[in-house]
Amino acid sequence: MKNTYLYILVFGFLSLSSCSLDTAPLTDLTETGFYRTKEDAFTALVGCYDGMQVATTSGLGIPLISEVLSDNCFGGTGNADGFGFQALDEFDISRSPADVNMFNDNWKAYYKAIYRCNVFLTKMDQIDWKGDDVLRATYEAETKFIRANLYFDMVKLWGHIPLLTEPSKDIIPQANPDDVYKVIAEDLMFATENLPSVAYNTVDNGRVTKWAAKSLLARVYLFYTGYYGKSDLVGLVSKSQALSHLEDVISSSGHGLVSDFATLWPAASVANYAGEDNKEVVFSIKYTYTSDYNGNNDGNAWMVMFGMRQFSYYPYGNGWGVTVNSKLWDAYNSNDTRRVATMIGIDEESIPFDKISDQREYTGYYNKKYSPMLAYDENGDLVDAPTALGGNGFQIGQFQDYTVIRYADVLLMAAELGSPNAQTYFDQVRQRAYKANFTSIPVNQVNIMKERYLEFALEGIRYWDLLRQGINAAASEIAEITTLPNGGVDTQLTISAANIIKTKGLMQIPNTQITLSGNVYMQNEGW
């Protein structure tokens, strides 16, 4: 048998929290001598988590892509940079014709992660579980959750993708999206049934829970039924079942809202930060500051793009200048505490920003939820936070976790799905935002979607929320003609609804992958 080498990172402790990652050298274990013991199984499981972490941060990074595609952010970046981010923002490859492979690193990283999951799932029977059927079911459930999350990202992004449920080197034609969603639904249903029914805070940090699986299943249901105009999730999950999963999370998980919205985000709260594993975090991707230039890709590589362009001002660190649309600032009521926790406002915070000559599409606003940060090192000097911790600096060392699902999302999804407690759930989210200035408004679809816009702004959710309202509605919201300074010179920016509609909101299949497939893969329309 040909040996398959395992490329995995090994954790020093059972906890999968960010601070516990030991970036040991890549192992030389082979398939023939591995997948034997429970210890091997744990190492393989960690490899699947690591694959997911690398996939979400590779290339452009899925949270970054999601925000630039939405109406929340412009492409920004440096005034002398290429126009790849503008091609993405404007759904127009003619803005940067050379960028026909802008998603190639994403594609490769996702399929590497899928491969790890598929290998582990096919090796379950050869592992000596020593009669521990519960452990086997738990590991299988975690792996299937990871695979489902990966495929959900991919099918949303590209629509038509090869579907592999076991290891293969063959060229597999792109699947019907329904077939992909069937695997996603089945994997998540297995996870909901086989992950332990225990409070979230009794599980090792970073590991998925039953409550994460139930929440993600409801998110998949809402996106699929909205985007494809269906009444259920590929015949497997009905509206009432999706709601039942969310109600179970609300009643049994132990999750809840933190009292102060700003404390969810390090740059918005600094000393009062609630922590990366606070009670509101239902599912997150874990990162560390230990990335290096020798293949250890453990960090949050996309977050640096949201930082102020080549400018730092405590507590905000230096970055590459993807800008936030000023209409987002204007969308908040002045009494809404989420506004100043979500965005860095240059004028509003009296920040002496002096890099406008180097900033493209300057708006005066940047992402505060995912901003690089400054910190004091052991000598009391102010440096970028990764350096203060001994990492490799702001470019590759960003380490803030990506919160994929918060408990607030669970409440708003349950309200949207028609819970008898919809008004209560809706009010809980808004009461925290407005505090003493809270007044109740009716819970309905329009108000829920508006609340989601404000609650989850700059968290990588808005674009998908727009798409599930229909491509025409999404295009109408995203399309814009405005004038923004490029290097200080006012320049017209046009985001065309026609371009968005033509692509159906899907992204470019990397040209290299089409070529490697011998043109078996077909490019998405509009690219």
Side-chain angles (χ1 to χ4, degrees):
M1 177 185 290
K2 183 177 179 180
N3 287 334
T4 301
Y5 287 85
L6 306 175
Y7 295 95
I8 54 181
L9 290 171
V10 181
F11 283 89
F13 304 96
L14 289 182
S15 169
L16 300 187
S17 64
S18 296
C19 60
S20 64
L21 188 62
D22 176 18
T23 52
L26 298 178
T27 75
D28 59 0
L29 297 173
T30 65
E31 187 177 7
T32 53
F34 198 67
Y35 300 106
R36 298 296 182 188
T37 67
K38 290 196 291 185
E39 291 74 21
D40 291 345
F42 179 74
T43 302
L45 176 63
V46 171
C48 294
Y49 275 101
D50 181 65
M52 176 172 63
Q53 168 253 306
V54 171
T56 56
T57 195
S58 292
L60 298 179
I62 189 71
L64 173 66
I65 294 168
S66 304
E67 285 304 319
V68 173
L69 291 174
S70 79
D71 56 340
N72 284 340
C73 290
F74 297 114
T77 66
N79 193 46
D81 288 346
F83 288 89
F85 276 84
Q86 281 63 43
L88 185 64
D89 187 30
E90 299 168 33
F91 295 75
D92 184 2
I93 193 59
S94 71
R95 294 284 279 127
S96 187
D99 277 316
V100 293
N101 283 307
M102 69 170 75
F103 295 111
N104 197 45
D105 286 344
N106 299 83
W107 182 281
K108 291 189 295 183
Y110 270 95
Y111 275 106
K112 286 179 182 178
I114 290 289
Y115 179 80
R116 291 185 184 188
C117 294
N118 286 339
V119 169
F120 188 29
L121 290 170
T122 61
K123 300 297 183 181
M124 289 279 175
D125 287 341
Q126 75 181 43
I127 294 169
D128 181 4
W129 297 98
K130 297 190 179 298
D132 196 340
D133 294 337
V134 172
L135 183 66
R136 172 185 170 146
T138 299
Y139 281 18
E140 184 175 354
E142 289 181 76
T143 305
K144 286 186 171 181
F145 175 99
I146 293 168
R147 184 171 69 177
N149 185 61
L150 292 165
Y151 269 133
F152 187 41
D153 280 352
M154 294 163 69
V155 75
K156 286 188 302 179
L157 199 61
W158 293 300
H160 310 286
I161 58 174
L163 174 64
L164 295 94
T165 55
E166 57 184 42
S168 174
K169 293 184 179 180
D170 296 332
I171 296 172
I172 307 296
Q174 291 152 291
N176 184 310
D178 277 7
D179 294 333
V180 181
Y181 276 99
K182 185 173 185 291
V183 170
I184 294 170
E186 289 173 344
D187 279 356
L188 290 176
M189 290 165 65
F190 184 90
T192 65
E193 294 162 3
N194 289 279
L195 289 167
S197 298
V198 296
Y200 81 93
N201 55 2
T202 65
V203 177
D204 290 334
N205 292 338
R207 298 181 72 165
V208 298
T209 64
K210 178 186 289 287
W211 320 116
K214 286 174 173 281
S215 301
L216 185 57
L217 185 57
R219 178 178 284 183
V220 173
Y221 169 88
L222 283 168
F223 182 80
Y224 174 83
T225 55
Y227 182 76
Y228 293 100
K230 301 293 182 67
S231 61
D232 59 32
L233 177 55
V234 289
L236 296 176
V237 181
S238 67
K239 181 178 181 179
S240 63
Q241 289 171 321
L243 175 59
S244 178
H245 283 301
L246 294 173
E247 298 283 21
D248 196 21
V249 176
I250 293 167
S251 64
S252 305
S253 69
H255 283 294
L257 299 176
V258 301
S259 59
D260 186 346
F261 182 83
T263 63
L264 290 166
W265 317 108
S269 57
V270 191
N272 295 320
Y273 177 42
E276 60 192 10
D277 299 305
N278 66 74
K279 65 181 180 179
E280 192 161 338
V281 176
V282 178
F283 169 49
S284 64
I285 305 293
K286 312 298 286 185
Y287 298 114
T288 81
Y289 61 88
T290 56
S291 288
D292 59 33
Y293 294 99
N294 298 312
N296 294 325
N297 302 315
D298 310 319
N300 183 335
W302 51 265
M303 196 171 83
V304 68
M305 297 304 303
F306 283 125
M308 293 186 292
R309 179 71 190 177
Q310 295 194 344
F311 183 85
S312 58
Y313 185 76
Y314 185 82
Y316 314 126
N318 183 35
W320 299 134
V322 167
T323 54
V324 175
N325 194 327
S326 62
K327 85 169 189 177
L328 179 59
W329 180 274
D330 296 337
Y332 288 94
N333 183 291
S334 60
N335 291 322
D336 191 334
T337 62
R338 293 173 297 193
R339 174 195 265 176
V340 296
T342 297
M343 285 169 283
I344 298 170
I346 298 298
D347 291 341
E348 290 79 5
E349 299 182 43
S350 299
I351 297 172
F353 184 76
D354 61 0
K355 301 296 183 180
I356 293 177
S357 63
D358 190 42
Q359 174 71 69
R360 182 177 292 156
E361 296 169 346
Y362 179 72
T363 64
Y365 297 100
Y366 294 93
N367 189 337
K368 188 179 290 188
K369 290 180 176 178
Y370 290 100
S371 170
M373 293 184 66
L374 299 178
Y376 290 95
D377 65 13
E378 60 184 9
N379 298 318
D381 296 324
L382 197 60
V383 297
D384 62 79
T387 297
L389 291 170
N392 277 304
F394 80 98
Q395 293 194 68
I396 66 170
Q398 301 301 329
F399 55 90
Q400 183 179 327
D401 291 350
Y402 174 50
T403 301
V404 181
I405 302 177
R406 292 195 279 114
Y407 183 71
D409 202 351
V410 173
L411 293 174
L412 291 180
M413 286 193 293
E416 185 176 350
L417 288 169
S419 169
N421 300 312
Q423 187 69 55
T424 298
Y425 298 159
F426 185 62
D427 285 349
Q428 284 178 17
V429 174
R430 296 187 72 254
Q431 281 173 331
R432 177 177 66 177
Y434 288 91
K435 296 189 179 298
N437 294 304
F438 167 77
T439 56
S440 183
I441 62 174
V443 58
N444 56 45
Q445 186 67 15
V446 171
N447 286 341
I448 288 172
M449 296 313 294
K450 172 70 179 297
E451 210 58 41
R452 292 184 63 84
Y453 173 41
L454 302 175
E455 178 72 18
F456 305 119
L458 309 181
E459 296 180 46
I461 292 175
R462 170 68 169 172
Y463 181 64
W464 315 112
D465 273 356
L466 288 173
L467 282 189
R468 66 183 179 88
Q469 296 175 67
I471 188 62
N472 289 330
S476 177
E477 284 291 325
I478 297 169
E480 185 164 353
I481 299 176
T482 188
T483 299
L484 296 171
N486 287 357
V489 178
D490 286 350
T491 307
Q492 182 171 295
L493 166 65
T494 301
I495 300 175
S496 166
N499 285 352
I500 301 167
I501 292 169
K502 185 165 55 177
T503 65
K504 299 181 176 64
L506 300 175
M507 293 297 102
Q508 174 196 74
I509 305 292
N511 188 65
T512 292
Q513 299 303 321
I514 294 173
T515 301
L516 289 172
S517 76
N519 293 314
V520 171
Y521 302 160
M522 302 297 293
Q523 184 58 269
N524 284 325
E525 187 177 353
W527 293 102

